[in-house]
Each structure stands twice: as structure tokens, then as C-alpha cells.
Amino acid sequence: MTYFLKPRNLAFAFSEVWSDSDKILEKSEIDSLWEEYWTKHGENIVLETWNRLYCDYILSENNESVISNEKEESILEEDHKSDWESLWSDHWTQQQYYVYSVFKENYHAEFDPSLVEITLEEDFKRKLGLPTSFIGRGEKTNNKNEEQLSNSEEETLKNLGLPTQFSGKNSRGVYLEDFSESEEEEMDETDKIKTGRVKKKNKNRRGRNQKIPEYIQKNQSLLRYWKKRFSLFSRFDEGIRLDEESWYSVTPENVASQLAKRINCNIIVDAFCGCGGNSIQFAKSGKRVISIDIDEGKILKAKHNAKVYKVDDKIDFIVGDFLKIYKDLKGIDAIFLSPPWGGIDYKKSAEYDIETQLQPIGASLLFEKCREITDNIAIFLPRNSDTKQIVRLAGVGKKTEIEKNFLDRRFVGITAFFGGLIKS
Ligand code: SAH
């Protein structure tokens, strides 16, 4: 099965360039808008669909029962099982064709939603009128000048209204590029961004032979988190350790890293550190960190995980109840709070009550304690938290700054900043 983003999601992704789509545009204008769009977002779109599709493949190698779709298995077995490079190239090409077709159709006001139903690559190409033997991104062009499309291929693209050239210093045809490993290494960063290439070596192969822990195999909902393990910790396969509860509660790495850069201070307390998602990123951003958790097992894992990221020398770990030991914390600049949200049921209520649902105590009481040591506080909360309650935490006449945290396009939570951590 081939996975494509739903047109609805793409429409959202395109909203930036579609803002004045009522205007009749020349084909060259559409193509240049497309070039700009794909250079900026292509890699993310391809990676998102890649991660969704091939996470299943990784799982299928470890656990036969996880995959039930026979078609999916047979395609992978027949064509690509041992050839991730070629899988990646095919995937890139398919996604690019698809996204371009949706993009282009919008300007012609005749978008055909049935495109998403197409599951097989060959069908997909036929539908778009492309020759099924069309050379995809990353395939070898052997006897040809690699910089150029053959006449017939260029003709086909022109007839289809597809661009024959994509961005990049040398205006190479992306579809026919040969991404040999050595050439890839020679490219400078700007080239990579402009040509939409990504360093695929590690991304493609990572985690391939990783064994799924038994407790995860037994729990279907945990399996969903296992698939996302690299968004929790990009170095997951270097030995990251998590307990069952932490799979649900760890802050995804990109979110934690953005927060760490956003918070400007020297010494920070991570009062509910869990297995270290936030602490590691605070340390990586150059801070000295005091990481506290009531659960010794989690502190041991956090310590180990910090070693994986080579930041263990920047973190002091304490096993203890933050509510009891907070007064002993001296000389710190800020406190980061990511207390338990009370299980995954938090999503069910329309509005999350930070005074009654947050663990181990309500937000106001927690803030009262924190303010005995500093006013500089940040708290990570569910995305559906009651904003009025958050504003009230600031106190009369004082401000708060609320940031929405997204992982790709998924709204994962909000962070509220208080005291000196407010930026604007
Ligand atoms: N931010 C962490 C996840 C935190 S989950 C990460 O990204 O990895 C919340 C944590 O708070 C849990 O690990 C839980 O053990 C801890 N906790 C709960 N009550 C506590 C208390 N009174 N003092 C310190 N830690 C507590």
C-alpha cells in the first residue's frame, strides 16, 4: 500500500501558496510557485509519509503479526526488501508526483479526490499519464548525461504540464538525479536544501533490526508510540530506555529542543523530569540542569539517556518528591514543570481543568510553591487546557505568554511562560 497525505491535509499545507488562487495564473507562474513550495516543504512531506509507511515495514521484520495487509508485504518482498535506497527513491518520486498533481489541479479547479484511492505505484503513474517505466528520483541513469532529461522524457513531462526542472544550483531535473553516496557527501548544505535532498543514509536504515520489547508487543496502544520512537528521541536506537508510563508522557524531542532554546537561563530545575525528554534538551542547549523525579526507576533511565546524548555531566539528578524538596533548591534561575496530566483521558474532556486534573496537585498550589524560589516558571500542559485558568496563574496585573507546540502538524501541547521567561 502506498500512503499519501489526504487532500484535506495538503490543502492545509498549501494554504500559504493558495491564498490568492482565484487569480488565473500562467503555467510558468504555477511552476515557479511549485518549485518554491517543494523546496521548502517537500522533504517534510516525503518524510512524514515515509515514516508512517515504513515504520510498519520495520515492525513487520520484527513482529509478523503487526502487519495484516498482505499486499503491503508482498510489494515490499518482491521489489525492495533489501533495497532501502531504491525504496526511498521510489517513495520520493511518488510523493512528488502526487503532491504536484494536487497542487496543479487546484489552479485548474478540477481536483480529483479519487487520486488518494490509488494504492499501487504503477496504477498511480498510469493515472497521471506517466510511463510506468519512468525513471524515479535516485535511480541510476547509466548511459545518459545525468544532468539532462532524455527528449522523450522531457516531452512527456511537458505534455503533462509537469515541470522539467526543479530548483538547485545547476537546475537539475530532480526526477533523474543520481544520488550516489559519494556525491551526496560532497554536496554542501545549501545544495541539499535547494535540491530537496536529504541525508538519507541514517534515516532510512535506523532501527531496522531493533527488537520490540515484549511489554510493547503485548500492548497495541504502546505499539503506536513505538512507531514514533524516533520523534521522541532521534537517537533512540543508540540505547534509549523508557518505562511503560514514559512512552505516553515523554516530550517529543523537537518540541523539547525548541522549548529549551526558547527558555533563556543558566540553571534550570526540571521538576518532573521523567526519563529525561526535556532535561536532555535543556542540557544540550547549554544549561545546567537539576532534574527531579519521584520515581527512582525513571531517574536511572534519565541518567542513562543523558549519557546517550553525552550531556550527563551537565545534569544533577535527584530522586525525590518535588513538593517536599523544592525549598532546598538554591541559586536557580527557572523552573520547568511538566507534571503528569492524569493519564490519556485528558483528551476526552473539551476543556482540561489545570486545577483539578493535573497531578499531583492543582496548578495554583504548585505555582505558590515554585514562587517561593523563583518567578521564572514554564509549564507544559495539555493542548485543551483552560486558557482562563492559565492566565489566572500569572496573578493580578501580571502577564503570561502561551505557546502552542506542534510536532509537524500535530498539536501536542501548550507551554505557558511566566515572570522573566516571557519574551514579548
Ligand atoms: N517531561 C518528562 C516527562 C514527565 S512525566 C519527559 O519529557 O521525559 C511526569 C513525571 O512526573 C513522571 O515521571 C512522574 O514520575 C513524575 N512525578 C509525579 N509526581 C511527582 C512529584 N511529586 N515529584 C517529582 N516527580 C513527580
Side-chain angles (χ1 to χ4, degrees), residues 71 76 116 195 216 253 258 269 321 366 404:
K71 230 191 238 168
L76 292 163
V116 277
T195 54
I216 292 182
E253 183 167 302
Q258 187 271 333
V269 174
D321 180 345
L366 184 59
K404 290 185 175 183

Side-chain angles (χ1 to χ4, degrees), residues 63-77:
N63 179 4
E64 294 297 329
S65 65
V66 177
I67 287 230
S68 55
N69 188 332
E70 282 173 20
K71 230 191 238 168
E72 191 165 348
E73 273 185 330
S74 64
I75 295 167
L76 292 163
E77 266 167 30

